Amino acid sequence: MGGSEIQIRCKTCTARFPVNVTERLAQCPHCGQGWKLKWFGGDQPMIIAPASWREYQQRTVERWG
Amino acid sequence: MNRIARINLTTGEVKSEVVAPHLREAFLGGRGLNIYFLYTMTDANTDQLGPENVLVIGPGLLTGTLAVSAGRTNISAKSPETGYLGDGNMGGHFGTELRRAGFDHLIFTGRSPRPVYLWVHDGDVELRDATHLAALDTFDTQDRIKEELRDAAIQIACIGPAGRNLVRMASVVHGYGGDAVGRTGMGAAMGTKNLWAVAARGTGTLPVADMPTLRDAFDRHYRQVTETKGFQATATYGTLIRLNNTRMMGLEGGHNYQTNMVDSGEELDADVFVQRYEIGKKACFNCPVHCKHVWEIREGRLAGTRGIGMEYFGAGGWGSQCGAAHWETILEAFTLCNRYGLDVSSSSGYTAWLMELYQRGIVTKEQTGGLALEWGDSAAVTGLLHQMATGEGLGKLLAQGWQAAAAAIGGDAARYMQHVKGLSMEPDDVRGHKAKLLGMVTATRGADHLRSRYTIEEFYLPAEHIAKVLGRPVPPDPDSYEGKAWATFWTENLCAAADALGICKFVTKWLSPGLLGFAEMAESASAVTGMSISPQQLSESGERMYNLERLFLVRLGLGRGDDRVPDRLREPWPRGPRRGTHIEEEKFQRMLGEYYDIHGWDQNGVPRRETLARLGLDRLIALPPEVV
């Protein structure tokens, strides 16, 4: 990656934030949502699910009804 | 190769002919030639359940060759489900085998006086008695035919009880769970012709004009595809990647679109499925994606049940739309659909609709044969599938399509079915993505993501990045209406071209911008055919097909009023991070008008004569009187 930062886009607030290679969980610094990551090809991260669906749904209800 | 077989099922007569070069050039193959034959051999008065309907089976122009993921086949007819355009596309190995057996297209007319199946083998075409298949489901039908013909390598497309009973949303099934032509009722189109299966086996070699160039293209395209993240995600999760995405992004059509987020807990998750049930993967012909799960239920009532495939539409359709968020119910329903030969999408859509009618007291237990259609009830889900396939309980009504069922049920029943052009909506809620919405409501076969869904809209890519792919900048905001008409037009052409070539959309820019586009597909098509096909010409071929499909609808009296947003989708999203997102009618209508302008259609959505002349269609078909 030439030393450049790897970023992903939060599925909730759509802001981008950096993640460390091989990290399996990450938390969006903008909205606080935790995500489960899957790494493809060693350095291509993808958000695959919330860290916990129940917590995600609970947060969603609290924030947006 | 390059031959068509015309099979008159009424008389049993079979004629074989070569595909005319000018038609090959104009429509390529697959979906392209299918719509040409369908348009020219039917008219506005054709009864979709009558012997005058025409059924066309057509593998793509590259199907069975070395081109990456070129293994697909289209089946087309006037739709028994909607009364409009019927068409569907399946993978597997059937198309490859049919071409190796010597035929690129099969055109069925008339109605056989007795049940038959067609046996195509190394240049021969033979109608055989099928009455002994009357009690079999689709899996057993295939096994029986292979036994009878003593060849396990035979590839078969067949119908099951649903198709034989003329259930309007019956599918055509190939293989044992992973491949089917589901939408628009092509199974009923076969059933009404008393054509219960087509079996193919061939040992021929498909001609390739320039093998070194095709091999070189394959190497490059293979690397291009397999290095993308989209490929790797699909190779891991198949279409179930969509399940997690829709749940995370609040695009989850739930309880017949009454919500866009369902509380399904940890269960309804792609990783849960893979870890708990997956025992392998299966691929279509020459496809590196191998997206089909091979699965086994290891514990409980269904322990020992195995299957192939498990797609998002089953998980979203029964899991979110019907609230049955438990994998074993979903797997059981998926298997029942495949064995009965029922479309997964319509079956789950009808079930969600009926559950809402039950919720509102419009349908009662007396009408359902005793089934309590409560949200999430497994017995209700599987019970309705049995009824749909066999005609018991509500099944007799549902077999005639949701419109007939709604009329018989009465009250507000029809109002709660969410559909476009008579085809029930898919579980993916599109109201927050305006290009996806436009693609869904204008799709030529009704509510559909495979005609023109601009998937890239979900990636928030910068407009200048998009411009490199689409040729024009399109804003990344999914809720913006700007540029979305162009994005939809571009995607339509890409999808049509891929279908005509027989290439799976999962390896194209339909799924992700790093995958194959017009340039790569044109390169393979040129190498195979020896014709010089430019990316622009390929795009124009797609446009030509789309215009002909649109004319098919225009001839049936459809226009702008049929490119309408289903009622429920006009309401704001009730939940999630984008709660309140809605469709602004004025902006939507302006986008629709722009979409017609880009096409060269009038503001009623009718292609203009000069547009059809530019595409050469005025020389190829008789234009309907609506065209001025």
Side-chain angles (χ1 to χ4, degrees), chain B residues 202-533:
Chain B
T203 56
T205 304
L206 301 183
V208 172
D210 184 351
M211 185 53 100
T213 300
L214 181 64
R215 189 174 292 279
D216 175 62
F218 170 81
D219 288 343
R220 283 182 286 105
H221 299 167
Y222 183 92
R223 275 198 305 277
Q224 181 181 344
V225 167
T226 55
E227 284 171 4
T228 65
K229 191 163 63 173
F231 159 81
Q232 295 180 52
T234 313
T236 305
Y237 296 109
T239 55
L240 292 182
I241 188 70
R242 188 89 203 132
L243 172 67
N244 283 28
N245 280 335
T246 55
R247 288 192 68 194
M248 286 188 285
M249 293 191 285
L251 319 177
E252 187 184 19
H255 295 185
N256 202 30
Y257 291 98
Q258 293 182 88
T259 183
N260 58 313
M261 290 189 90
V262 180
D263 296 330
S264 303
E266 307 296 329
E267 173 76 357
L268 210 58
D269 178 281
D271 254 332
V272 169
F273 175 85
V274 168
Q275 287 168 23
R276 197 187 293 164
Y277 300 106
E278 187 177 287
I279 54 173
K281 281 278 176 50
K282 198 167 184 297
C284 299
F285 177 79
N286 203 32
C287 182
V289 184
H290 51 277
C291 68
K292 287 176 281 195
H293 305 280
V294 181
W295 50 265
E296 180 180 18
I297 299 175
R298 298 186 179 96
E299 296 174 344
R301 183 175 61 88
L302 301 171
T305 306
R306 285 184 169 206
I308 301 169
M310 180 59 245
E311 309 303 327
Y312 162 61
F313 274 12
W318 290 298
S320 306
Q321 285 286 42
C322 301
H326 12 89
W327 280 113
E328 290 181 16
T329 301
I330 294 167
L331 287 168
E332 187 178 11
F334 186 73
T335 304
L336 282 173
C337 269
N338 285 317
R339 281 188 171 272
Y340 280 141
L342 281 167
D343 174 33
V344 167
S345 192
S346 286
S347 299
S348 58
Y350 283 31
T351 303
W353 170 59
L354 288 165
M355 284 180 162
E356 181 169 2
L357 297 186
Y358 189 83
Q359 169 198 319
R360 295 180 184 280
I362 299 170
V363 158
T364 64
K365 259 188 178 179
E366 286 68 46
Q367 292 160 293
T368 65
L371 284 177
L373 301 183
E374 304 283 357
W375 296 112
D377 188 301
S378 302
V381 165
T382 53
L384 265 180
L385 290 175
H386 288 299
Q387 291 190 359
M388 285 180 201
T390 60
E392 295 164 12
L394 272 176
K396 197 171 179 183
L397 283 180
L398 295 171
Q400 297 169 57
W402 70 265
Q403 296 94 331
I409 291 166
D412 277 344
R415 186 180 141 208
Y416 294 103
M417 171 54 91
Q418 308 308 315
H419 72 96
V420 176
K421 299 180 183 74
L423 196 65
S424 62
M425 289 288 288
E426 301 166 341
D428 193 337
D429 191 325
V430 296
R431 77 189 94 170
H433 291 79
K434 299 307 189 271
K436 284 169 57 186
L437 171 76
L438 181 63
M440 182 72 73
V441 302
T442 56
T444 44
R445 67 172 183 174
D448 181 24
H449 70 296
L450 291 168
R451 263 0 195 207
S452 46
R453 186 182 80 187
Y454 175 56
T455 313
I456 298 172
E457 193 172 30
E458 293 177 1
F459 301 159
Y460 293 87
L461 297 174
E464 60 273 17
H465 186 121
I466 294 298
K468 288 179 191 163
V469 181
L470 270 65
R472 292 187 190 181
V474 176
D477 177 5
D479 213 22
S480 167
Y481 296 78
E482 196 186 328
K484 301 302 174 67
W486 173 260
T488 302
F489 171 77
W490 182 90
T491 311
E492 279 171 3
N493 296 345
L494 184 83
C495 289
D499 286 343
L501 296 178
I503 291 177
C504 179
K505 296 182 187 77
F506 277 18
V507 297
T508 72
K509 293 184 191 301
W510 173 82
L511 186 74
S512 180
L515 293 168
L516 309 181
F518 290 110
E520 293 87 350
M521 291 196 291
E523 199 179 356
S524 295
S526 298
V528 168
T529 61
M531 299 189 286
S532 178
I533 301 171

Side-chain angles (χ1 to χ4, degrees), chain B residues 479-594:
Chain B
D479 213 22
S480 167
Y481 296 78
E482 196 186 328
K484 301 302 174 67
W486 173 260
T488 302
F489 171 77
W490 182 90
T491 311
E492 279 171 3
N493 296 345
L494 184 83
C495 289
D499 286 343
L501 296 178
I503 291 177
C504 179
K505 296 182 187 77
F506 277 18
V507 297
T508 72
K509 293 184 191 301
W510 173 82
L511 186 74
S512 180
L515 293 168
L516 309 181
F518 290 110
E520 293 87 350
M521 291 196 291
E523 199 179 356
S524 295
S526 298
V528 168
T529 61
M531 299 189 286
S532 178
I533 301 171
S534 70
Q536 178 55 34
Q537 283 172 314
L538 189 58
S539 171
E540 197 173 278
S541 292
E543 188 184 355
R544 184 176 300 114
M545 292 165 219
Y546 215 82
N547 272 266
L548 189 49
E549 290 178 347
R550 184 76 186 186
L551 282 180
F552 188 89
L553 301 178
V554 165
R555 194 170 64 176
L556 293 167
L558 277 67
R560 186 178 189 126
D562 300 285
D563 294 334
R564 66 180 294 278
V565 178
D567 290 344
R568 187 58 59 63
L569 270 62
R570 292 175 177 278
E571 299 165 11
W573 263 341
R575 296 188 67 189
R578 295 178 62 202
R579 180 183 176 185
T581 296
H582 64 285
I583 297 161
E584 294 172 74
E585 183 61 20
E586 195 185 322
K587 288 183 181 175
F588 172 78
Q589 290 301 335
R590 201 180 310 136
M591 175 172 68
L592 184 61
E594 187 190 345

